Amino acid sequence: MSSLPTDPGTGASAASPAVSSNGTSTASSTVSPTSNAGAEAAEPEGGDAAPAGTPFERLGGEPGVRALVERFYDLMDLEPDYAGIRRLHPSTLEGSRDKLHWYLCGWLGGPNHYIERFGHPRLRARHLPYAIGATERDQWMACMVQALREVQVDPGLAARLAEAFFGTADWMRNR
């Protein structure tokens, strides 16, 4: 069984950021599922070979990532259960949709559109102006898990992505 996805720069797992001896975070804000997300180094139980390719490729490239992002923000806009995180976004979601698409393309192992446009993601710093606690994290995660299911992402890949997304979403908490 593979380990949790890690940030190649720090070795921090997606489940928890790296912490230095003085208690401060050393984690990068770009924890990524690309190291092992959805693919095992050895054969899984049953002897079947693991799917090959990056999560970006397994999602169907840019069109697949775009479909996931579109469904995620459609759900956020429509479902009352996600009203708390919807309030943290601008009145129109076009910019948010593009930025998440660009970011996820690179995070999933595809082209680094976000970095090309804006530089290092600095996710935590970019999210500090917004009050994000466990409730907001959980709403974001529920919305993303629902989107993964509704765009019919392979269940094994969806589980690995949800695990990596949780680590990042949890790291965004600032209250």
Side-chain angles (χ1 to χ4, degrees):
M1 180 158 197
S2 68
S3 61
L4 289 173
T6 59
D7 178 345
T10 66
S13 78
S16 62
V19 178
S20 70
S21 60
N22 69 0
T24 60
S25 170
T26 60
S28 165
S29 61
T30 58
V31 174
S32 170
T34 58
S35 61
N36 288 319
E40 300 290 336
E43 288 185 7
E45 289 182 29
D48 295 326
T54 65
F56 176 79
E57 293 165 337
R58 293 185 61 207
L59 283 171
E62 290 195 43
V65 174
R66 178 57 79 177
L68 175 62
V69 168
E70 292 297 320
R71 189 62 192 144
F72 172 76
Y73 280 112
D74 287 349
L75 289 166
M76 186 188 296
D77 226 7
L78 298 170
E79 295 291 334
D81 288 346
Y82 310 134
I85 57 170
R86 178 61 182 94
R87 281 191 296 273
L88 298 176
H89 289 77
S91 59
T92 62
L93 294 170
E94 288 80 18
S96 298
R97 289 173 191 264
D98 285 340
K99 286 179 181 175
L100 183 59
H101 172 253
W102 295 330
Y103 174 76
L104 287 181
C105 282
W107 188 75
L108 293 164
N112 286 314
H113 298 311
Y114 187 94
I115 292 171
E116 291 166 1
R117 287 169 173 82
F118 305 106
H120 190 283
R122 301 176 320 186
L123 288 181
R124 186 154 166 79
R126 293 182 194 273
H127 287 80
L128 282 174
Y130 310 100
I132 301 172
T135 300
E136 292 77 18
R137 175 205 60 205
D138 293 347
Q139 283 184 21
W140 193 97
M141 282 300 305
C143 189
M144 181 55 76
V145 167
Q146 184 175 347
L148 287 163
R149 186 175 53 252
E150 289 187 12
V151 299
Q152 300 179 349
V153 172
D154 170 77
L157 176 59
R160 294 294 297 177
L161 291 175
E163 182 177 43
F165 280 135
F166 181 84
T168 302
D170 192 53
W171 182 233
M172 295 301 105
R173 289 184 306 121
N174 55 33
R175 64 174 180 99

